[in-house]
Amino acid sequence: MLNFGSRMDAIQAPIIAVVGDLIRQTPGTISLGQGVVHYGPPAAAMDAAREALSNRDTHGYQDGAGNRALIVAIEEKLLRDNGIDRRNGLGVMVTAGGNMAFVHAILAITNPGDEVILPVPFYFNHEMAIQMVDCTAVLVATDDQYQLDLDAIRRAMTPRTRAIVTVTPNNPTGAVFPEAALRAVNELCRERGVFHISDEVYEYFTYGSTPHVSPGAFAGAQDHTISLFSLSKAYGFAGWRIGYMVYPERLNDAIAKVQDTVLVCPPVISQIAAVAAMAVGPAYCRQHLAAFADVRDIVMAELRALEPLCTVPPADGAFYCFLRVNAEADPMRTTERLIREHGVAVVPGHAFGVTRGCYFRVAYGALQKATVAEGIGRLVMGLRAILES
Ligand SMILES: Cc1ncc(COP(=O)(O)O)c(C=O)c1O
């Protein structure tokens, strides 16, 4: 009899698949679950991909770090949008999405038993990746607005700490971290000789007065900052699997080893499409931002009507908010009831590391305004019915 146990047994099951199964069992459910946008790639990207199909070179392996044309487009974008100059001793690697870039980073900078600090609520795939490589995710609470608590982060550091992770704009909370907080984290990392891993896959999605800031642009940050980006959200590219990472050049060998083993080279056709998408530029997603902001206003206003039963802290970025229920309720059981009895799906907070209390992530990027309004209506009615019964 083979022993099927493995390191994966200790890792949480991907929550989106669990919620997805429940949704499939309840036709007509409106999903405020998955964090995707409602639009696809720019037409120019699809045209470029179509044209590239007849080029035999696209059928073979190409450069491991990414094709020259895409790397150049990324370098220009980093300078223009992020203030990051690759010539300051930085490496750039194209990956199959931002998730892979995170795994590359963790594999490149840790030994088994090392610790990585994750502010909570965290993005679940970050915790999963850290645990898969036999490291420990050290969970540090944020404040009641889901903002970083620098003292708590400082207290959580030990000689085994290898990195602090920040995600801004944030999944799952929609919080945007101000420059001062990011500078403080980046400076702490520099002082203690650990890496700052900055996940910026929602970089263009901000609606309030706090702009997005890239820690990799801070003076003196280049030696210890790893910045992660993705085309999945900005360019509707989730299925094309293109992300990229920027890192201190001394990690080149380690990251190249991971890339060669896991991916060999990024998908060639997707890279050609990505070059065309990046030529269209961030104006492509910015044209949708006003509509996202409108939807966000509806979501926040409707959910705030649930106070004092629930609280919704500010959510000025990405396309999420993270609802706190001020009553006794089991998050998974409530999620199931919302789907089965009220036809609306959200993701329970425990998937994001919040194990005390009842929280839900509400995602509003995948749907048009009318559908989101209907979904939020169902959520509000459903929560009232379940929590007040
Ligand atoms: C914070 C964060 N990082 C990374 C990703 C992964 O994106 P992808 O692998 O599609 O680039 C996501 C996707 O939802 C995310 O929310």
Side-chain angles (χ1 to χ4, degrees):
M1 180 74 170
L2 281 174
N3 174 6
F4 283 111
S6 85
R7 64 181 64 215
M8 294 303 158
D9 296 347
I11 312 288
Q12 71 159 310
I15 187 70
I16 297 299
V18 175
V19 173
D21 275 348
L22 289 168
I23 293 174
R24 264 187 299 283
Q25 291 162 24
T26 318
T29 300
I30 294 178
S31 176
L32 303 171
Q34 199 166 14
V36 287
V37 291
H38 59 73
Y39 51 85
M46 290 187 281
D47 290 345
R50 221 173 277 119
E51 209 172 295
L53 288 174
S54 57
N55 177 351
R56 290 176 60 87
D57 291 349
T58 60
H59 305 317
Y61 296 127
Q62 296 197 359
D63 282 355
N67 291 354
R68 191 65 210 140
L70 183 53
I71 298 279
V72 169
I74 290 169
E75 287 169 351
E76 285 169 9
K77 175 268 181 187
L78 287 170
L79 207 50
R80 183 192 65 219
D81 296 350
N82 306 100
I84 297 176
D85 188 344
R86 196 245 161 112
R87 289 166 300 188
N88 286 336
L90 298 173
V92 173
M93 173 85 65
V94 179
T95 55
N99 268 10
M100 179 176 272
F102 186 81
V103 177
H104 279 24
I106 293 295
L107 280 167
I109 65 170
T110 61
N111 282 307
D114 282 344
E115 297 173 356
V116 177
I117 292 186
L118 288 187
V120 176
F122 54 58
Y123 171 53
F124 40 74
N125 289 124
H126 287 170
E127 189 206 34
M128 292 164 75
I130 293 163
Q131 292 174 340
M132 280 178 198
V133 300
D134 290 331
C135 290
T136 302
V138 175
L139 309 186
V140 176
T142 49
D143 70 13
D144 61 1
Q145 310 279 293
Y146 306 129
Q147 291 290 329
L148 298 171
D149 179 342
L150 199 75
D151 287 337
I153 291 176
R154 199 178 279 115
R155 282 197 303 274
M157 294 185 85
T158 76
R160 297 234 64 162
T161 305
R162 296 295 288 147
I164 301 172
V165 179
T166 57
V167 180
T168 186
N170 190 265
N171 178 6
T173 66
V176 179
F177 301 151
E179 177 169 346
L182 293 168
R183 277 192 187 277
V185 169
N186 197 266
E187 181 56 24
L188 180 62
C189 290
R190 198 189 56 73
E191 265 168 42
R192 302 288 184 94
V194 309
F195 288 94
H196 182 176
I197 303 180
S198 169
D199 181 323
E200 303 177 37
V201 311
Y202 300 96
E203 60 184 319
Y204 298 120
F205 296 85
T206 55
Y207 317 107
S209 55
T210 311
H212 174 67
V213 174
S214 295
F218 299 155
Q222 62 276 2
D223 279 344
H224 63 277
T225 306
I226 302 175
S227 313
L228 314 180
F229 302 94
S230 170
L231 272 66
S232 291
K233 320 288 170 179
Y235 294 99
F237 246 61
W240 294 76
R241 309 306 304 135
I242 294 288
Y244 52 98
M245 60 196 298
V246 186
Y247 51 87
E249 240 164 21
R250 68 181 189 284
L251 295 177
N252 255 340
D253 287 352
I255 289 177
K257 287 180 196 172
V258 187
Q259 178 89 333
D260 192 60
T261 304
V262 180
L263 190 61
V264 184
C265 71
V268 176
I269 293 280
S270 294
Q271 291 188 77
I272 290 169
V275 174
M278 291 184 75
V280 176
Y284 185 68
C285 84
R286 289 199 178 116
Q287 71 187 327
H288 298 287
L289 284 194
F292 272 100
D294 278 356
V295 170
R296 189 215 40 165
D297 290 347
I298 296 172
V299 169
M300 299 301 277
E302 294 271 330
L303 293 179
R304 286 209 165 120
L306 277 170
E307 283 177 5
L309 195 59
C310 300
T311 312
V312 205
D316 289 345
F319 25 79
Y320 307 107
C321 66
F322 203 62
L323 185 77
R324 179 166 61 236
V325 173
N326 301 317
E328 282 289 308
D330 176 73
M332 195 58 223
R333 176 85 195 104
T334 308
T335 301
E336 273 184 57
R337 288 191 61 188
L338 284 167
I339 296 172
R340 291 195 207 286
E341 297 167 24
H342 301 276
V344 63
V346 288
V347 180
H350 61 79
F352 307 97
V354 185
T355 46
R356 274 207 311 239
C358 183
Y359 293 76
F360 298 102
R361 185 189 75 174
V362 179
Y364 57 84
L367 305 173
Q368 300 289 348
K369 198 165 163 178
T371 322
V372 176
E374 165 71 19
I376 290 291
R378 291 186 192 182
L379 179 62
V380 168
M381 273 187 28
L383 284 173
R384 278 201 200 289
I386 295 168
L387 299 173
E388 289 177 344
S389 64

